[in-house]
């Protein structure tokens, strides 16, 4: 049996799948604890795991419980993450602190990447990645997701960069970091709630098999980090970019007035946008995560067929 990192607690289902070379898809947990209200958050988490299983892969939701990094969760664990006020939002800088204190933590894109890489899981599904915040050229407010993409060997499937961010600066930063940015089935880079962002996609792929081939080639040629796979939200579920932009501007203005910043900024903005759209953005968020889960499972299957 392959030995895994001693800090990790891996469920038998996930461990067996990894040992036998079956496809596994990692999932983050911040979207459960800080990204959606209850009970939609736990319903979404359960549905995403079901979609991944239905598409031939094993889901591995990642979190920290009682100071142990967990790869794969039970239903009771998802409920705890969805309801407990004692779950911290954990990025890579926070991992050691939360583990040493024996606390609970929900993992961001960056920390999920780090733990998935330690567990040797090459595919990870999320909603949207973080990036350079608007005004980041003066505030230097940039998500750790970008630097982690440059060092952890995991392909991250998302609906693009969160539209509350500066997508152009984020794409420039990913280029500097040498991270392949591949859009699935389109030449336009998506923007989370919307299928387009006004930015051309750096690279394009039209099948899970093509993406899996790029993953293999990238890593075989010495690529030290991950890949950003952008999967546009289904057309029926999108909020057009020109409509959501005004709502985002209003949410940002209210956030600045409230004095919210740092790691609290993104959860505040997403919650405010749900309020301003009367729940439409939440429905779009759930739809895009489900769509990413389907693609992620198919990519994981293609990559496992080496």
């Amino acid at each position: 049996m392959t030995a895994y990192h001693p800090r990790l607690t891996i469920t038998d289902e996930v461990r067996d799948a990894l040992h036998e070379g079956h496809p596994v898809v990692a999932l983050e947990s911040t979207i459960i604890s800080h990204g959606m209200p209850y009970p939609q958050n736990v319903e979404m988490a359960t549905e995403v795991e079901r979609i991944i299983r239905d598409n031939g892969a094993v889901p591995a939701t990642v979190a920290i419980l009682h100071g142990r990094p967990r790869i794969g969760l039970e239903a009771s664990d998802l409920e705890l993450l969805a309801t407990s006020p004692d779950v911290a939002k954990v990025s890579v800088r926070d991992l050691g602190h939360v583990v040493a204190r024996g606390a609970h933590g929900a993992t961001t894109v960056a920390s999920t990447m780090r733990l998935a890489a330690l567990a040797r899981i090459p595919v990870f599904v999320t909603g949207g990645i973080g990036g350079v915040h608007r005004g980041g050229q003066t505030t230097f407010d940039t998500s750790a997701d970008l630097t982690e993409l440059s060092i952890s060997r995991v392909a991250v499937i998302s609906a693009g960069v969160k539209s509350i961010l500066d997508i152009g600066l984020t794409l420039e930063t990913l280029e500097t970091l040498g991270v392949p940015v591949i859009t699935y089935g389109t030449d336009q880079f998506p923007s989370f709630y919307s299928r387009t962002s006004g930015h051309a996609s750096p690279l394009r792929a039209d099948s899970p098999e093509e993406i899996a081939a790029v993953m293999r080639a990238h890593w075989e040629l010495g690529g030290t980090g991950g890949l950003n796979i952008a999967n546009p939200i289904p057309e029926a579920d999108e909020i057009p970019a020109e409509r959501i932009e005004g709502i985002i501007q209003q949410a940002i203005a209210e956030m600045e007035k409230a004095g919210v910043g740092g790691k609290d900024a993104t959860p505040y903005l997403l919650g405010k946008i749900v309020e301003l759209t009367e729940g439409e953005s939440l429905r779009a968020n759930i739809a895009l995560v489900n769509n990413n889960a389907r693609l992620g499972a198919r990519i994981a299957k293609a990559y496992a067929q080496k």
Side-chain angles (χ1 to χ4, degrees):
M1 201 72 165
T2 303
Y4 292 98
H5 194 284
R7 286 280 191 180
L8 303 181
T9 296
I10 305 177
T11 62
D12 290 342
E13 179 188 27
V14 173
R15 187 183 294 272
D16 290 346
L18 291 171
H19 179 68
E20 294 167 11
H22 296 322
V24 176
V25 175
L27 299 164
E28 60 148 302
S29 47
T30 293
I31 194 172
I32 304 170
S33 64
H34 294 79
M36 292 184 185
Y38 183 83
Q40 289 93 337
N41 51 5
V42 72
E43 292 168 355
M44 176 277 305
T46 303
E47 176 66 4
V48 167
E49 290 199 349
R50 184 195 65 77
I51 289 170
I52 287 171
R53 286 195 172 91
D54 286 351
N55 282 273
V58 172
T61 302
V62 176
I64 300 170
L65 297 177
H66 304 288
R68 289 289 298 184
R70 299 277 297 276
I71 312 297
L73 300 179
E74 305 296 337
S76 59
D77 300 326
L78 295 176
E79 190 73 21
L80 184 154
L81 288 168
T83 59
S84 174
D86 300 322
V87 177
K89 180 182 177 182
V90 178
S91 189
V92 282
R93 70 171 185 180
D94 311 306
L95 278 171
H97 186 255
V98 173
V99 168
R101 292 174 57 243
H104 298 324
T107 53
T108 64
V109 169
S111 54
T112 303
M113 283 190 72
R114 177 72 58 87
L115 295 174
L118 288 177
R120 300 170 207 163
I121 300 173
V123 176
F124 161 38
V125 161
T126 186
I129 68 165
V132 181
H133 281 254
R134 299 184 187 205
Q137 64 269 39
T138 55
T139 65
F140 296 95
D141 190 351
T142 301
S143 171
D145 296 356
L146 303 189
T147 48
E148 196 63 31
L149 271 163
S150 72
I151 59 177
S152 284
R153 287 170 53 124
V154 179
V156 181
I157 293 85
S158 74
V161 178
K162 292 186 177 77
S163 48
I164 58 176
L165 306 173
D166 190 314
I167 294 175
L169 288 181
T170 300
L171 290 173
E172 291 288 351
T173 303
L174 287 169
E175 179 184 6
T176 300
L177 294 172
V179 176
V181 176
I182 304 170
T183 300
Y184 182 66
T186 177
D187 294 322
Q188 295 294 314
F189 190 79
S191 58
F192 196 60
Y193 299 119
S194 311
R195 292 179 61 81
T196 60
S197 65
H199 297 276
S201 176
L203 303 167
R204 172 176 174 162
D206 293 309
S207 71
E209 292 74 21
E210 186 179 357
I211 292 171
V214 174
M215 290 164 60
R216 292 190 199 98
H218 180 64
W219 291 326
E220 288 169 0
L221 292 169
T224 56
L227 300 89
N228 176 19
I229 312 301
N231 181 34
I233 183 172
E235 188 173 357
D237 300 302
E238 79 165 328
I239 304 175
E242 60 272 15
R243 183 156 70 85
I244 196 67
E245 179 58 26
I247 294 168
I248 291 170
Q249 293 287 359
Q250 183 179 345
I252 290 173
E254 295 191 25
M255 179 186 73
E256 291 174 347
K257 185 178 180 180
V260 176
K263 67 180 183 180
D264 296 324
T266 296
Y268 177 92
L269 286 172
L270 293 177
K272 181 60 67 175
I273 291 168
V274 170
E275 177 186 323
L276 294 172
T277 61
E278 299 181 339
E280 185 180 1
S281 66
L282 177 59
R283 292 188 290 274
N285 198 345
I286 292 170
L288 65 86
V289 172
N290 290 345
N291 190 48
N292 294 341
R294 284 185 282 270
L295 178 60
R298 293 170 64 196
I299 292 171
K301 282 182 65 177
Y303 187 78
Q305 296 168 358
K306 297 179 181 180

